[in-house]
């Protein structure tokens, strides 16, 4: 997307004087939410990223982590126009300093890494290409809301003031306290008909809430509370939507739980689970891919894909593309933003030391591109994929921008072990909640002048990676790449030309397709655990189902040997016990095997499921449903 040539244009502003607290009322804009979201959870002893050593494969001698790792956070403000007339609202200052003085550019680092202000729920006017006015939301009807997110460079340690200005020139000041909410909305998903909403709330401190009040677009709705497993601190709040929401529409979710009010904007979609592929999209390759369970192609739009009933995730945007609609198996599923902006950050801003360049492309490239995509194809969600640069802070810097967040934890590329997949995806999900996450996995070989990691994954590694991703609650999986070609990076051998790997991918895809309706409305129920060499995770899938993922961790890729060698040790006599939500003491328990559901011996009691398995090769997965 770098060739789009978008720049930033901020309306000229002057520093706001400190105004009395009734400034907001005078300007008639109500604050629906104003909170500080830190990267680091202050209520836990160990952060998500702290059980892993994050290395960079770049050309610099110094490493980013942990020396330059500086967790910060973001401000989230939602305003409502209570003026009784159509009005505009502009972000103009931070703590009394003009926005242009505190914003980051390739020439200087500001207190604000990026900002995003919009009313995405409003109809788009294609005649008004205002992509440059990134600090301004025009023509907000009375009663409608505006969301504003600011990514800060440093943690918030004292109250700050965010300054806005309405269309009449009146100042609107919002104070944000450094207090951290003890609960957060972990995931928001929808039924296939978008007539039921599932809001998962996780307590960051103490037990999950027992009661909750749900408001959708400013109206109280009747909702149902379903507790998750006790140790998960998770609760599901679900509600019927009548009429059903339109595909791609934006809505405001407000939830009161205990003494706290949680506010999130959300994009409605039917949860179509992407099983996607990068690569050659001629008729022969597309036909073979469909036979292996692929339903989506990245980066391509073509008649061949449309005729094959394949969805697409193309790069950029065009008004001529056909958007996907609810229930459809073809059309544009997501719009792909600038590819791997974190990798581009490292090569940007020559005057800025390389350890501090993370986020330089957010305001100048990513956000303008997203606004352009919203204008050209207003019903299609936007996807942003970050690379493996400036880990793990890259997930937190970019995770709150798009509708759909994505990352590519490639193994064995650059000498990584398979466990890198779940460590990276755990951080990506933690950084982007409640947005859905799509994982892209390495599925080819690449020759060249690499020290190590040129091999394709083994079939066992591929299966382990797929189920690590499923266990992390992803809402889609992609494979890179089905293309056999000599490139500037080296010789690629594509997925379909590595027959054992292609077969393993096909088998796993058939299983994921069976689970997809459940995973689409699912949320990880608590932390993963590793016991007796088995990685275990429970996904709570609505009020009546759960998916249990077991992955064998006895696997090692030996990069130090003369020829890279994978050592894999199947497990024998495995006993796995997991906690289930209340009400599952009478349930149907089945294993998903090559696209089929098969009953499995088990023991249920006291909201716990015990499986006695003869073996686990790479990974096994189970579906549990209430009777």
């Amino acid at each position: 997307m770098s060739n789009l040539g978008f720049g930033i244009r901020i309306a000229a502003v002057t520093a706001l004087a400190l105004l009395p607290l009734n400034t907001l009322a005078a300007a008639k804009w109500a604050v629906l939410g104003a909170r500080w979201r830190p990267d680091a959870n202050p209520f836990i002893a160990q952060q998500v990223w702290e059980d892993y050593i994050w290395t960079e494969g770049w050309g610099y001698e110094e490493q980013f982590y942990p020396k330059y790792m500086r967790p910060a956070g973001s401000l989230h403000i939602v305003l409502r126009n209570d003026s009784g007339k159509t009005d505009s609202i502009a972000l103009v200052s931070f703590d009394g300093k003009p926005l242009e003085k505190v914003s980051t550019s390739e020439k200087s680092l500001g207190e604000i890494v990026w900002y995003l202000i919009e009313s995405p729920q409003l109809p788009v006017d294609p005649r008004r290409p205002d992509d440059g006015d990134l600090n301004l939301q025009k023509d907000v009807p009375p009663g409608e809301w505006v969301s504003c997110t600011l990514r800060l460079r440093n943690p918030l340690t004292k109250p700050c003031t965010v300054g806005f200005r309405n269309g009449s020139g009146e100042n609107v000041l919002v104070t944000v306290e450094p207090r951290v909410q003890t609960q957060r909305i972990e995931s928001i998903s929808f039924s296939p008909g978008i007539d039921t909403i599932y809001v998962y709330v996780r307590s960051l401190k103490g037990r999950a809430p027992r009661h909750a009040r749900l408001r959708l677009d400013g109206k109280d709705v009747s909702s149902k509370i379903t507790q998750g497993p006790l140790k998960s601190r998770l609760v599901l709040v679900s509600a019927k939507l009548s009429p059903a929401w339109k595909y791609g529409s934006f809505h405001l979710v407000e939830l009161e739980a205990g003494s706290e009010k949680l506010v999130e904007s959300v994009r409605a979609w039917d949860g179509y689970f992407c099983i996607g592929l990068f690569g050659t999209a001629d008729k022969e390759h597309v036909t073979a891919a469909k036979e292996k369970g692929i339903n989506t192609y990245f980066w391509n739009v073509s008649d061949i894909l449309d005729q094959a009933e394949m969805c697409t995730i193309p790069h950029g945007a065009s008004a001529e593309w056909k958007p996907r609609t609810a229930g459809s198996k073809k059309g544009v599923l997501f719009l792909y933003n600038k590819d791997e902006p974190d990798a581009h950050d490292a090569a940007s801003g020559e005057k800025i030391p390389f350890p501090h360049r993370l986020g330089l492309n957010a305001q100048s490239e990513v956000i303008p591109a997203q606004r352009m995509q919203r204008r050209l194809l207003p019903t299609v969600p936007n996807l942003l994929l970050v690379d493996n640069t400036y880990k793990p802070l890259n997930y937190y810097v970019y995770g709150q921008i798009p509708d759909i967040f994505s990352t590519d934890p490639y193994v064995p590329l650059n000498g990584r072990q398979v466990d890198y997949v779940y460590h990276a995806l755990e951080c990506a999900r933690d950084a982007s909640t409640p947005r859905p996450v799509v994982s892209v996995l390495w599925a080819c070989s690449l020759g060249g002048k690499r020290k190590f990691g040129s091999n394709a994954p083994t079939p066992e590694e591929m299966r382990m990676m797929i189920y690590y991703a499923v266990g992390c609650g992803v809402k889609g999986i992609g494979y890179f790449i089905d293309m056999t070609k000599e490139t500037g990076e080296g010789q690629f051998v594509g997925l379909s030309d590595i027959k054992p790997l292609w077969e393993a991918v096909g088998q796993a895809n058939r299983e994921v397709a069976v689970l997809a309706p459940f995973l689409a409305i699912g949320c990880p129920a608590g932390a993963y655990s590793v016991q007796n060499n088995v990685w275990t995770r429970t996904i709570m899938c609505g009020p009546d189902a759960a998916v249990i993922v077991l992955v064998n961790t006895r696997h090692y890729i030996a990069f130090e040997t003369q020829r890279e060698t994978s050592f894999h040790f199947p497990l024998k006599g495995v006993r796995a016990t997991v906690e289930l939500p209340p009400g599952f003491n009478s349930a149907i328990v089945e294993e998903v095997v090559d696209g089929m559901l098969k009953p499995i011996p088990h023991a249920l009691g006291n909201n716990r499921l015990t499986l006695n398995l003869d073996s686990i090769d790479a990974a096994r997965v189970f579906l549990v449903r209430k009777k």
Side-chain angles (χ1 to χ4, degrees), residues 186-472:
E186 199 76 359
S187 176
I188 303 175
S189 53
F190 300 89
S191 61
I194 322 180
D195 54 4
T196 302
I197 185 172
Y198 303 93
V199 182
Y200 292 88
V201 180
R202 182 164 72 96
S203 173
L204 304 179
K205 179 183 179 182
R207 291 189 174 185
R210 292 286 177 182
H211 306 282
R213 177 189 175 193
L214 182 63
R215 290 172 62 85
L216 301 176
D217 295 329
K219 298 179 180 179
D220 286 297
V221 298
S222 177
S223 59
K224 175 184 176 182
I225 306 294
T226 305
Q227 295 293 323
L230 180 61
K231 293 181 180 179
S232 71
R233 298 179 176 179
L234 192 70
V235 65
L236 168 61
V237 183
S238 55
K240 297 293 184 181
L241 302 174
S242 182
W245 285 355
K246 294 181 179 180
Y247 186 91
S249 59
F250 287 87
H251 301 270
L252 195 65
V253 175
E254 299 173 82
L255 193 142
E256 294 180 13
S259 60
E260 292 185 335
K261 179 182 177 181
L262 311 177
V263 182
E264 292 282 359
S265 62
V266 64
R267 191 156 205 185
W269 67 303
D270 60 0
Y272 186 78
F273 198 95
C274 156
I275 304 176
L277 186 63
F278 289 78
T280 305
D282 58 32
K283 188 172 182 179
E284 180 182 356
H285 281 83
V286 169
T287 300
K290 188 165 186 176
E291 291 175 355
K292 290 294 188 289
I294 300 295
N295 61 25
T296 302
Y297 264 77
F298 288 78
W299 284 9
N300 290 286
V301 175
S302 71
D303 290 339
I304 292 174
L305 294 172
D306 202 46
Q307 292 165 7
E309 291 200 314
M310 290 276 194
C311 290
T312 60
I313 304 176
H315 188 261
S318 169
E320 297 179 359
W321 293 345
K322 298 176 182 178
R324 180 182 175 272
T325 56
S328 176
K329 295 181 179 180
K330 62 182 180 179
V332 178
L333 176 62
F334 307 134
L335 291 170
Y336 198 105
N337 202 305
K338 182 180 179 69
D339 187 39
E340 302 180 343
D342 51 331
H344 291 277
D345 288 340
S348 303
E350 293 181 359
K351 295 183 179 180
I352 296 174
F354 77 88
H356 306 296
R357 295 175 183 174
L358 178 60
L360 289 182
N361 280 273
Q363 200 74 55
S364 62
E365 296 275 351
V366 172
I367 290 173
Q370 180 167 286
R371 184 173 281 203
M372 176 273 295
Q373 290 174 331
R374 294 214 196 293
R375 178 165 52 86
L376 292 179
L377 287 172
T379 64
V380 181
N382 316 101
L383 178 143
L384 177 64
L385 182 144
V386 300
D387 186 40
N388 300 274
T389 314
Y390 295 107
K391 304 178 298 292
L393 195 57
N394 57 336
Y395 309 119
Y396 294 87
V397 167
Y398 283 102
Q400 291 292 313
I401 295 176
D403 302 322
I404 312 291
F405 193 48
S406 182
T407 189
D408 50 8
Y410 288 161
V411 174
L413 194 67
N414 290 331
R416 303 185 185 105
Q417 299 293 332
V418 181
D419 66 342
Y420 174 65
V421 172
Y422 72 79
H423 285 292
L425 290 176
E426 283 293 280
C427 286
R429 188 176 61 83
D430 183 60
S432 62
T433 58
R435 292 158 181 76
V437 172
V438 172
S439 175
V440 176
L441 304 174
W442 186 253
C444 63
S445 68
L446 175 58
K449 298 180 180 180
R450 283 176 172 75
K451 295 179 181 178
F452 35 62
S454 297
N455 289 356
T458 66
E460 294 84 3
E461 289 160 0
M462 193 79 253
R463 185 173 178 83
M464 294 165 69
M465 291 191 289
I466 291 168
Y467 282 108
Y468 277 143
V470 168
C472 289

Side-chain angles (χ1 to χ4, degrees), residues 72-99:
S74 49
L75 305 177
H76 298 259
I77 299 168
V78 180
L79 303 175
R80 186 181 63 216
N81 178 9
D82 281 0
S83 68
K85 61 181 181 180
T86 297
D87 201 357
S88 63
I89 193 79
L91 173 66
V92 295
S93 70
F94 178 73
D95 267 348
K97 289 170 280 190
L99 185 60

